[in-house]
Amino acid sequence: MAAEPQPKALTRKPLLLNKVEGSQEVVNMAAIVPKEDGVISVSEDRTVRVWLKRDSGQYWPSIYHAMPSPCSCMSFNPETRRLSIGLDNGTISEFILSEDYNKMTLVKSYQAHQSRVIMILFVLEMEWVLSTGQDKHFTWHCSESGQRLGGYRTSAGACGLQFDVETRHVFVGDHSGQVTILKLEQESCSLVTTFKGHTGGVTALCWDPIQRILFSGSSDHSIIMWDIGGRKGTAIELQGHNDKVQSLSYAHHTRQLISCGADGGIVVWNMDVERQETPEWLDSDSCQKCDQPFFWNFKQMWDSKKIGLRQHHCRKCGKAVCGKCSSKRSSIPLMGFEFEVRVCDSCHESITDEERAPTATFHDSKHNIVHVHFDATRGWLLTSGTDKVIKVGVRNVLLL
């Protein structure tokens, strides 16, 4: 039930604190170093770099390390300074960074996948390294020994990966649009359930362990909020991008979801509001408002001597309607529609100005975003893009 393409809502240009340039290829992932004015990045140019801010105000590499294969992803744990790097050849290499971030020491490498590593998560509490690859496998390893503990074959290559420490549930989102939930033990896993709500592949996952809500972003331009902890099976759509959703991050203290798209758009969603599920689209052979037949309803067309009409659906009530009975458009923010979408005429009259009040803010990053990282302690946002640039410290982006 994707929203129809509409002009983007009023956007604001966020304040850019700094740009980090120097990579020769796409920066696949980057992260702000906590309590330091620095950035860690991995790139298709096979380099791992740690950038520290100098007195000149510019970021310069304090570490420049070449890997044997393009770097596809990374996971950094500030407590242990352990840096896990996924490579295009399926290897995961682990390093320990020095306290001054001027040196990195290789701890171990292991062949986790048969092809490109897509996502890595290091779980300190379990001493596990979780990963997904283009080989359609989810695997987990012991971070101390490097031993493979287990694996699970997904229905397609997986881009989304999240883990809940309390319940040991792992969430895997794949290119088929499916999210798989597994229960992990030390050396085994069991399938809990799968669910699917996207019409395109899942491109990113984000987990809120406090509210027990999973967010999934997709190539269909949408985000779905899955209320797993509420046990009500609620799935709420968020429509605010004009291109595929590339990355998600969640600010727990303000209950705001940050989503980034391939169009360079950054959307900050206020999740501290009571949102509504979008209705199921109803099936009908004729308009449920004026009873005009749709074009496949030959019998009613013949009996009434009327030409069949094209079927549409009201995004608010879900009824099947003709174009004449759904001539109006409206945003419905509490249903996740920040852009104007098709509604039937009666629903349009019932929507108040208060109900049209936006629940998200829009920002233009001016580059095609691949990954986003949010530092909640400083309110800084980092984006890395296909333009080989890292944009650091987008301040005030979370002000609604």
Side-chain angles (χ1 to χ4, degrees):
M1 293 190 291
E4 298 167 352
Q6 295 290 333
K8 188 172 285 190
L10 180 64
T11 61
R12 297 184 299 183
K13 186 177 179 180
L15 177 62
L16 180 65
L17 297 183
N18 222 312
K19 284 204 302 187
V20 180
E21 299 176 283
S23 298
Q24 302 303 308
E25 296 291 342
V26 175
V27 180
N28 284 316
M29 199 169 286
I32 298 169
V33 179
K35 300 179 182 178
E36 294 284 341
D37 216 338
V39 171
I40 303 171
S41 67
V42 296
S43 170
E44 283 291 321
D45 65 11
R46 300 191 297 114
T47 64
V48 181
R49 309 188 198 204
V50 178
W51 312 78
L52 295 181
K53 193 173 183 179
R54 306 304 185 186
D55 293 338
S56 64
Q58 297 299 311
Y59 286 89
W60 293 94
S62 62
I63 294 175
Y64 179 102
H65 185 87
M67 300 295 290
S69 180
C71 306
S72 53
C73 57
M74 58 171 263
S75 176
F76 178 63
N77 181 264
E79 296 178 48
T80 60
R81 297 190 307 282
R82 182 189 294 263
L83 178 64
S84 306
I85 300 168
L87 302 180
D88 193 62
N89 62 12
T91 301
I92 294 177
S93 295
E94 294 187 344
F95 298 84
I96 297 295
L97 301 186
S98 61
E99 289 188 25
D100 60 4
Y101 291 96
N102 282 302
K103 182 181 179 182
M104 56 190 289
T105 304
L106 179 65
V107 178
K108 68 178 71 68
S109 291
Y110 40 93
Q111 193 70 29
H113 296 276
Q114 298 302 311
S115 56
R116 186 180 178 92
V117 183
I118 302 299
M119 285 291 293
I120 300 175
L121 283 180
F122 170 63
V123 184
L124 178 60
E125 295 86 347
M126 321 304 306
E127 295 186 341
W128 288 347
V129 176
L130 317 179
S131 63
T132 59
Q134 279 186 344
D135 59 1
K136 300 182 182 179
H137 275 87
F138 158 75
T139 65
W140 73 104
H141 291 74
C142 173
S143 63
E144 295 305 306
S145 66
Q147 177 187 355
R148 179 187 169 109
L149 299 177
Y152 182 87
R153 183 174 174 84
T154 56
S155 59
C159 282
L161 179 63
Q162 291 287 283
F163 182 72
D164 182 60
V165 174
E166 182 182 343
T167 63
R168 296 190 181 185
H169 285 148
V170 65
F171 307 94
V172 182
D174 63 45
H175 288 307
S176 74
Q178 180 173 282
V179 176
T180 301
I181 303 180
L182 304 170
K183 171 80 173 191
L184 298 192
E185 303 298 342
Q186 187 60 29
E187 295 184 2
S188 66
C189 73
S190 56
L191 176 65
V192 177
T193 188
T194 61
F195 45 85
K196 185 172 181 178
H198 292 288
T199 57
V202 175
T203 52
L205 292 179
C206 187
W207 173 244
D208 175 8
I210 300 172
Q211 302 293 326
R212 308 200 65 74
I213 290 172
L214 181 72
F215 300 96
S216 60
S218 171
S219 58
D220 65 11
H221 309 180
S222 75
I223 301 163
I224 295 180
M225 182 183 92
W226 307 90
D227 184 7
I228 294 174
R231 302 183 183 278
K232 297 178 181 178
T234 305
I236 293 174
E237 293 184 48
L238 302 175
Q239 301 279 356
H241 287 279
N242 289 316
D243 207 333
K244 67 177 179 179
V245 179
Q246 294 277 56
S247 186
L248 299 171
S249 185
Y250 190 71
H252 299 275
H253 63 298
T254 57
R255 291 199 65 190
Q256 290 172 310
L257 177 71
I258 306 164
S259 61
C260 296
D263 57 359
I266 302 172
V267 184
V268 183
W269 305 86
N270 178 14
M271 303 312 299
D272 198 22
V273 294
E274 188 173 345
R275 295 184 176 273
Q276 304 166 17
E277 276 193 289
T278 52
E280 292 292 329
W281 285 3
L282 302 177
D283 293 325
S284 179
D285 290 330
S286 58
C287 176
Q288 293 181 301
K289 293 293 182 180
C290 68
D291 202 37
Q292 280 273 81
F294 293 132
F295 63 82
W296 63 82
N297 189 353
F298 297 112
K299 184 179 186 304
Q300 188 176 344
M301 282 193 291
W302 178 264
D303 293 342
S304 61
K305 301 296 188 291
K306 293 179 180 178
I307 298 175
L309 303 176
R310 182 184 172 190
Q311 177 185 257
H312 301 281
H313 283 93
C314 172
R315 300 308 194 268
K316 192 173 191 299
C317 67
K319 289 184 177 180
V321 290
C322 67
K324 185 178 178 181
C325 293
S326 58
S327 60
K328 304 292 192 343
R329 303 290 184 273
S330 176
S331 60
I332 321 173
L334 292 181
M335 282 188 170
F337 296 114
E338 295 289 335
F339 301 157
E340 290 191 343
V341 291
R342 181 184 295 273
V343 293
C344 66
D345 292 354
S346 56
C347 280
H348 186 271
E349 293 176 4
S350 69
I351 301 173
T352 65
D353 290 339
E354 289 77 10
E355 290 176 315
R356 291 190 177 93
T359 61
T361 55
F362 297 80
H363 314 268
D364 188 0
S365 71
K366 301 297 184 184
H367 72 154
N368 184 325
I369 297 173
V370 175
H371 185 258
V372 62
H373 177 245
F374 177 63
D375 181 358
T377 59
R378 288 176 282 190
W380 285 5
L381 193 70
L382 176 150
T383 58
S384 55
T386 57
D387 56 2
K388 311 169 190 176
V389 173
I390 303 168
K391 295 192 175 183
V392 185
V394 185
R395 199 189 297 271
N396 298 330
V397 75
L398 293 186
L399 295 181
L400 288 177

